[in-house]
Amino acid sequence: MWNPYLPIPPRTRKLLGFSSVATVLLIWAVVTGLALVGPAKLPSPWAAAKAFLYLAWDPERGHSLLLDATLWSVGRVAAAGVLVVLIGVPLGVLMGASPYLNALLSPLVDPFRSAPIVALLPVLVMWLGIGELMKIVFLFLGAVVYLIPMVRDAIVAVPNTYWLSVRDIGATPWEAVRHAVLPMAMPRIADGVIVSVSVMWTYITVAEYVNAKQGLGHLIQSARRFSAMDQVFVGILVIIALALLTYALMSALKRKLYPWEAAV
């Protein structure tokens, strides 16, 4: 059992995952069914399901509040994610390829992995206002501080024999990095991108707390003001589901692009 390299049959993996989720749902149902926790603090699963149906389609308004909120949140995460990849990956590669550049920029990047990015929200509001730009920049900053060091470490982790072997056949130092080191580091860089996107989902409610008229974070905050805890739980569960779906899709794409790494 205690073997990190032991392959698990797909059916067994799915069964174990399903059993853990079912156990949590059962405990949730028992706790609320026996009124061990009041509905004002913890709604029952069936109350959350009823709230989900209401948010999924409101017959009075003739549209889906949940779909609108989901699309807005997905759009913000997607926009910030593009910026994170376009800026974080090249900068991390440059830092990993150049010890001098790494020594110059690491003191500006590394501390923010442990710093509370949420503390920057008031500063961003003062600098950028309360519009969409502030929300996207906040998500970007919350994720890029994780991606840059992960990309840098992925480059540094590649054995130097790859760089030396290409240099021996006449490549320049940068050509050796680009054609030998970078391809070997790409699977780990892809892991960094996946982690960064996941981090943005943890910040989405904070980003949408300020002046958001749409979004899952706004939906949760509005429901909390009216003490509609069933709708609050729906918003939280949808965010978790979106984060898991994003993770699964990006992991599948990584396995398709780098099948040799998945087979190891």
Side-chain angles (χ1 to χ4, degrees):
M1 179 176 179
W2 304 111
N3 180 1
Y5 309 102
L6 179 67
I8 299 178
R11 183 177 180 180
T12 303
R13 183 186 300 273
K14 292 179 181 179
L15 181 61
L16 290 173
F18 175 80
S19 63
S20 63
V21 173
T23 300
V24 172
L25 291 176
L26 179 61
I27 294 174
W28 182 11
V30 170
V31 169
T32 55
L34 297 178
L36 300 178
V37 180
K41 295 181 179 180
L42 181 65
S44 63
W46 39 92
K50 184 178 179 180
F52 175 82
L53 294 177
Y54 166 75
L55 294 173
W57 181 257
D58 183 1
E60 296 181 0
R61 301 187 182 186
H63 72 283
S64 174
L65 297 174
L66 189 59
L67 179 60
D68 291 346
T70 299
L71 291 178
W72 275 95
S73 295
V74 170
R76 289 169 180 137
V77 170
V82 170
L83 292 177
V84 167
V85 173
L86 291 179
I87 296 175
V89 172
L91 187 55
V93 170
L94 293 175
M95 290 175 63
S98 172
Y100 294 98
L101 191 59
N102 183 40
L104 177 66
L105 297 180
S106 287
L108 302 177
V109 175
D110 290 342
F112 284 97
R113 286 190 292 180
S114 302
I117 298 297
V118 177
L120 294 178
L121 188 60
V123 178
L124 294 177
V125 170
M126 289 188 293
W127 287 356
L128 303 175
I130 56 177
E132 288 299 314
L133 179 60
M134 181 277 296
K135 297 174 179 58
I136 293 174
V137 170
F138 175 75
L139 292 173
F140 164 79
L141 292 176
V144 78
V145 294
Y146 289 95
L147 181 59
I148 293 174
M150 293 183 72
V151 174
R152 176 199 61 196
D153 296 344
I155 295 294
V156 174
V158 176
N160 66 347
T161 52
Y162 292 95
W163 187 85
L164 292 173
S165 62
V166 178
R167 287 283 286 146
D168 289 342
I169 60 177
T172 65
W174 175 248
E175 287 175 339
V177 171
R178 178 182 175 186
H179 297 291
V181 178
L182 183 58
M184 295 301 300
M186 283 306 298
R188 288 191 60 181
I189 292 175
D191 288 334
V193 173
I194 294 172
V195 170
S196 299
V197 174
S198 300
V199 166
M200 283 190 287
W201 280 116
T202 67
Y203 285 128
I204 190 64
T205 55
V206 180
E208 294 176 341
Y209 182 80
V210 180
N211 194 47
K213 295 182 174 64
Q214 295 287 350
L216 292 169
H218 171 71
L219 186 150
I220 291 173
Q221 293 298 332
S222 298
R224 183 185 61 83
R225 290 193 203 102
F226 293 100
S227 299
M229 288 302 296
D230 50 356
Q231 296 184 21
V232 170
F233 268 70
V234 170
I236 294 173
L237 292 174
V238 170
I239 290 176
I240 294 174
L242 288 172
L244 292 175
L245 178 61
T246 304
Y247 177 85
L249 291 176
M250 296 184 70
S251 297
L253 179 60
K254 177 200 168 187
R255 289 192 296 269
K256 185 176 180 63
L257 292 175
Y258 313 109
W260 67 87
E261 207 256 355
V264 171

